[in-house]
């Protein structure tokens, strides 16, 4: 079987949706990818168990021991493919989904089961099944083909849906930056607005890249208010074998906290920006606000900050995305909370990001890093200090298959991460990805460690540009005469080329009877 590139698969799959809305088609595609994943995983485990003379490949308990979902005969992918070109393919898939949920309690209420509806073109559905049948899984345990396809499709659907759909997906390079800075390697990881679970997937990758195992090292906790997004997250994590506690149901973290007693070692999140209808007027006396102040009812940004701080363990660290306006908002309640957080030494680092990273918003964004205790966690005593990084002009590159969206380069991620790690380390040193060692020192226009007195002097404004200053302009050392000679020669060449092009155009027009 030839390997099908995920880019080609998307192009072909997207052609099949005809006039179907992207938000609707998303669940068709992702549901089928998940169905193929669990079926392929089952078939692989079935073959392994069959080689053991003392094991029964039809015994469900054998698969539970391998952390593989039990897939009854009628729900296996071969049966789906065999009936892909029949009019009842939609009902066949629905039945497979119902059967799998019945046999696997952890998936109940998660899988899409509306493939048989009349509005869904069954010919196109069958063609999509045939497309997915061409995905080569292989036996390489390090090759996460279906997981990669699933994540790729999530990103494509987020961009296709724009603002209404992108809230469930955080750009991968931003997730990677947050995870690399926080380094979740052992303990409890929490995301109170987890979307499709990108923070958890990247945390797993971080652990595996360091020859670790996520099982037993990280305990995953999440919450998501949107039902369909909650289902997507459950499937996204299951497709990678990540066991997570996402609560009993989808729920609003502010009004139905599914993890009230959780104290997490690592919190990573991308809350929806500037939400005005979050119901803050009903939470005036909420214990999560503590001594810092009551968040304004018209904007949830600071409610998210205090919610995450409340759920941090005594030595925990949180990193999250917010709109840049959160750094300097002057409303009385937000100013008061920000001042109290700074005076209580809970803010560790602020990073302003380059533009164009998000498909869902053009609002400038930043990263906040907060911690319960700057004296613990094995790091340097950073009491009374905040690291400011202005990354707005740092290197980005075009995102694949997008004309407008960009992503952070590996170099930018490494530069920001190593500066933060050097800031925290006892020797103020860090090792970059290429193995070179750096020693922290302020860099004008890029990053600076500010003291509490400096921040007070700026009236608790947390905008990095206020502290790092302006990038110095490189001194021009080329002598004036040499520069003018070089530039005039270049201009003369351009003028000569322009004349040649003009003459060629006139000649071509003249040949067809038109003169200028």
């Amino acid at each position: 079987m030839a390997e099908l590139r995920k880019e080609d698969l998307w192009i072909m799959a997207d052609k099949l949706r005809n006039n179907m809305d992207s938000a609707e088609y998303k669940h068709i595609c992702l549901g089928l990818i998940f169905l193929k994943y669990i079926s392929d995983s089952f078939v692989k485990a079935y073959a392994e168990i069959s080689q053991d003379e003392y094991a029964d490949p039809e015994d469900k308990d054998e698969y539970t021991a391998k952390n593989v979902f039990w897939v009854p005969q009628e729900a296996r992918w071969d049966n789906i493919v065999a009936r892909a070109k029949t009019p009842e393919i939609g009902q066949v898939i629905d039945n497979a989904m119902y059967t799998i949920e019945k046999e696997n309690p952890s998936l109940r209420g998660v899988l899409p089961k509306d493939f048989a509806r009349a509005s869904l073109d069954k010919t196109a559905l069958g063609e999509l099944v045939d497309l997915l049948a061409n995905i080569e899984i292989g036996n390489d345990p390090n090759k996460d083909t279906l997981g990669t396809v699933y994540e790729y499709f999530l990103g494509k659907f987020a961009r296709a849906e724009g603002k209404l759909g992108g809230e469930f997906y955080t750009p991968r390079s931003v997730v990677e930056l947050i995870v690399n800075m926080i380094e979740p390697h052992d303990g409890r990881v929490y995301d109170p607005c987890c979307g499709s679970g990108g923070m958890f997937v990247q945390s797993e990758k971080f652990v595996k890249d360091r020859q670790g195992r996520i099982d037993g090292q990280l305990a995953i906790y999440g919450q998501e208010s949107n039902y369909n997004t909650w289902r997507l997250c459950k499937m996204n994590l299951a497709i990678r074998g990540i066991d997570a506690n996402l609560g009993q149901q989808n729920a609003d973290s502010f009004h139905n906290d599914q993890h009230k007693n959780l104290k997490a070692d690592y919190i990573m999140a991308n809350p929806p920006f500037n939400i005005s209808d979050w119901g803050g007027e009903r939470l005036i006396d909420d214990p999560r606000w503590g001594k810092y102040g009551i968040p304004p009812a018209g904007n949830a940004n600071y409610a998210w900050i205090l919610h995450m701080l409340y759920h941090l363990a005594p030595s925990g660290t949180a990193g999250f995305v917010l709109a840049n306006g959160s750094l300097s908002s002057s409303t009385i309640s937000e100013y008061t909370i920000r001042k109290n957080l700074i005076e209580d030494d809970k803010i560790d680092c602020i990073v302003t990001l380059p533009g164009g990273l998000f498909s869902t918003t053009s609002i400038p964004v930043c990263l906040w890093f907060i911690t319960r205790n700057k004296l613990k966690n094995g790091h340097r005593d950073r009491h009374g200090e905040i690291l400011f990084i202005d990354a707005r002009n740092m290197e980005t590159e075009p995102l694949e298959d997008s004309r407008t969206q960009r992503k952070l380069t590996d170099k930018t991620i490494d530069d920001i991460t190593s500066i933060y790690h050097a800031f925290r380390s006892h020797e103020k040193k860090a090792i970059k990805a290429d193995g070179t060692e750096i020693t922290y020192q302020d860099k004008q226009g890029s990053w600076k460690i500010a003291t509490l007195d400096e921040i007070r002097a700026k009236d608790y404004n947390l905008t990095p540009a206020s502290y790092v200053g302006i990038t110095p302009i490189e001194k021009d050392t080329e002598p004036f005469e040499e520069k003018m000679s070089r530039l005039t020669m270049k201009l003369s060449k351009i003028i000569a080329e322009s004349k040649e092009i003009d003459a060629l155009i006139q000649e071509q027009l003249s040949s067809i009877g038109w003169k200028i």
Side-chain angles (χ1 to χ4, degrees):
M1 182 187 299
E3 183 171 346
L4 188 65
R5 296 191 317 136
K6 62 182 184 295
E7 296 86 353
D8 297 333
L9 181 62
W10 168 262
I11 291 171
M12 289 185 284
D14 195 45
K15 286 180 180 178
L16 297 177
R17 71 184 177 104
N18 296 323
N19 296 320
M20 188 183 298
D21 183 78
S22 181
E24 184 181 17
Y25 189 60
K26 170 176 66 187
H27 299 289
I28 299 297
C29 271
L30 297 176
L32 281 178
I33 292 173
F34 183 76
L35 180 60
K36 177 166 171 56
Y37 162 77
I38 59 177
S39 181
D40 285 357
S41 299
F42 175 84
V43 169
K44 182 179 178 182
Y46 189 97
E48 294 172 353
I49 295 169
S50 297
Q51 298 298 315
D52 186 347
E53 61 179 309
Y54 299 106
D56 179 5
E58 294 296 335
D59 182 356
K60 186 191 296 189
D61 291 340
E62 296 283 357
Y63 299 89
T64 302
K66 287 179 171 288
N67 197 27
V68 172
F69 294 110
W70 169 259
V71 182
Q73 179 65 46
E74 63 270 26
R76 295 171 194 172
W77 191 255
D78 286 347
N79 182 58
I80 306 295
V81 173
R83 305 178 70 179
K85 293 179 172 60
T86 65
E88 63 270 15
I89 180 59
Q91 190 60 56
V92 170
I93 295 173
D94 281 348
N95 290 341
M97 297 293 194
Y98 278 113
T99 304
I100 289 170
E101 283 197 353
K102 180 180 178 182
E103 296 291 341
N104 301 276
S106 64
L107 294 177
R108 286 178 188 170
V110 172
L111 306 183
K113 297 176 284 292
D114 52 357
F115 292 84
R117 65 185 186 274
S119 61
L120 183 57
D121 184 336
K122 301 306 181 291
T123 300
L125 178 59
E127 290 175 1
L128 183 56
V129 170
D130 286 337
L131 281 180
L132 293 175
N134 288 320
I135 300 179
E136 176 64 71
I137 302 303
N139 295 316
D140 184 355
N142 297 315
K143 191 173 184 180
D144 180 22
T145 307
L146 269 176
T148 301
V149 169
Y150 192 94
E151 181 179 7
Y152 179 77
F153 271 45
L154 278 174
K156 294 293 286 187
F157 279 120
R159 291 194 290 278
E161 293 176 51
K163 182 174 176 59
L164 294 178
E167 291 179 355
F168 67 83
Y169 184 81
T170 306
R172 184 173 182 176
S173 66
V174 176
V175 174
E176 187 175 349
L177 175 59
I178 294 173
V179 171
N180 285 7
M181 290 179 73
I182 284 185
E183 297 184 298
H185 54 81
D186 187 23
R188 293 149 295 188
V189 177
Y190 173 53
D191 184 343
C193 42
C194 61
S196 56
M199 299 291 183
F200 304 141
V201 171
Q202 196 62 37
S203 295
E204 178 210 33
K205 183 178 183 299
F206 178 87
V207 172
K208 284 186 174 180
D209 285 349
R210 285 148 182 78
Q211 288 76 47
R213 290 178 61 254
I214 196 166
D215 294 335
Q217 286 195 261
L218 293 180
I220 305 293
Y221 297 86
Q223 184 159 342
E224 171 56 42
S225 61
N226 182 281
Y227 173 63
N228 287 324
T229 304
W230 181 76
R231 289 165 56 199
L232 287 179
C233 185
K234 296 273 282 189
M235 288 191 286
N236 192 23
L237 300 183
I239 212 170
R240 298 171 184 276
I242 300 176
D243 186 26
N245 181 346
L246 301 183
Q248 295 298 312
Q249 61 192 42
N250 62 295
D252 182 332
S253 291
F254 293 131
H255 298 277
N256 187 7
D257 191 346
Q258 299 282 292
H259 308 289
K260 288 184 178 180
N261 299 318
L262 173 67
K263 298 299 180 182
D265 301 289
Y266 311 97
I267 297 179
M268 296 172 283
N270 174 25
F273 299 161
N274 304 322
I275 297 299
S276 60
D277 57 348
W278 65 282
E281 66 280 357
R282 305 196 305 273
L283 297 171
I284 299 299
D285 298 319
D286 196 283
R288 286 172 290 187
W289 314 150
K291 60 186 177 183
Y292 301 102
I294 301 170
N299 192 313
N301 287 346
Y302 274 71
W304 283 116
I305 296 173
L306 295 182
H307 174 84
M308 287 185 271
L309 180 62
Y310 177 83
H311 279 291
L312 269 182
S315 59
T317 301
F320 46 89
V321 186
L322 282 181
N324 277 5
S326 63
L327 301 173
S328 59
S329 55
S330 57
T331 60
I332 294 176
S333 54
E334 292 185 335
Y335 172 85
T336 300
I337 294 171
R338 187 170 66 250
K339 174 183 176 181
N340 289 337
L341 287 169
I342 292 169
E343 290 289 354
D344 203 31
D345 223 11
K346 293 297 181 280
I347 301 173
D348 202 32
C349 176
I350 299 290
V351 183
T352 43
L353 293 176
L357 300 177
F358 288 75
S359 62
T360 54
T361 181
S362 58
I363 297 174
V365 300
C366 59
L367 302 181
W368 288 58
F369 293 87
I370 62 176
T371 183
R372 273 284 180 191
N373 193 333
K374 295 182 182 180
L375 303 178
K376 294 186 177 181
N377 244 0
H379 300 135
R380 181 178 68 85
D381 178 0
R382 306 177 307 286
H383 184 75
E385 297 178 349
I386 297 177
L387 172 64
F388 291 96
I389 301 176
D390 188 348
R392 290 175 300 169
N393 296 316
M394 294 183 76
E395 187 178 83
T396 62
E397 60 188 6
L399 188 68
E400 300 86 351
D401 305 311
S402 175
R403 289 173 294 181
T404 57
Q405 194 175 351
R406 303 185 68 81
K407 66 178 181 179
L408 301 171
T409 63
D410 291 342
K411 180 181 183 303
T412 294
I413 293 173
D414 186 35
D415 286 345
I416 297 174
T417 299
S418 58
I419 288 301
Y420 180 57
H421 290 171
F423 161 68
R424 294 194 306 177
S425 77
H426 291 283
E427 300 80 18
K428 284 196 174 183
K429 296 180 184 294
I431 305 298
K432 294 179 68 68
D434 61 4
T436 59
E437 183 181 79
I438 66 162
T439 300
Y440 180 87
Q441 55 183 346
D442 291 344
K443 181 179 179 181
Q444 185 176 341
S446 297
W447 47 78
K448 173 182 171 58
I449 297 174
T451 64
L452 187 54
D453 284 339
E454 290 177 288
I455 297 167
R456 288 183 184 126
K458 294 188 181 295
D459 201 22
Y460 302 99
N461 186 321
L462 291 178
T463 305
S466 300
Y467 299 92
V468 303
I470 301 172
T471 303
I473 299 174
E474 291 185 13
K475 186 176 181 180
D476 188 355
T477 58
E478 185 178 10
F480 177 78
E481 292 78 7
E482 292 181 14
K483 175 180 284 190
M484 286 302 296
S485 176
R486 175 174 59 81
L487 292 177
T488 52
M489 286 180 62
K490 185 176 181 180
L491 179 60
S492 298
K493 184 178 179 181
I494 292 172
I495 292 173
E497 289 176 350
S498 176
K499 288 181 178 179
E500 291 178 6
I501 294 172
D502 288 344
L504 181 61
I505 291 173
Q506 291 184 48
E507 181 183 336
Q508 294 294 327
L509 288 173
S510 179
S511 67
I512 58 175
W514 297 90
K515 291 187 177 182
I516 298 179

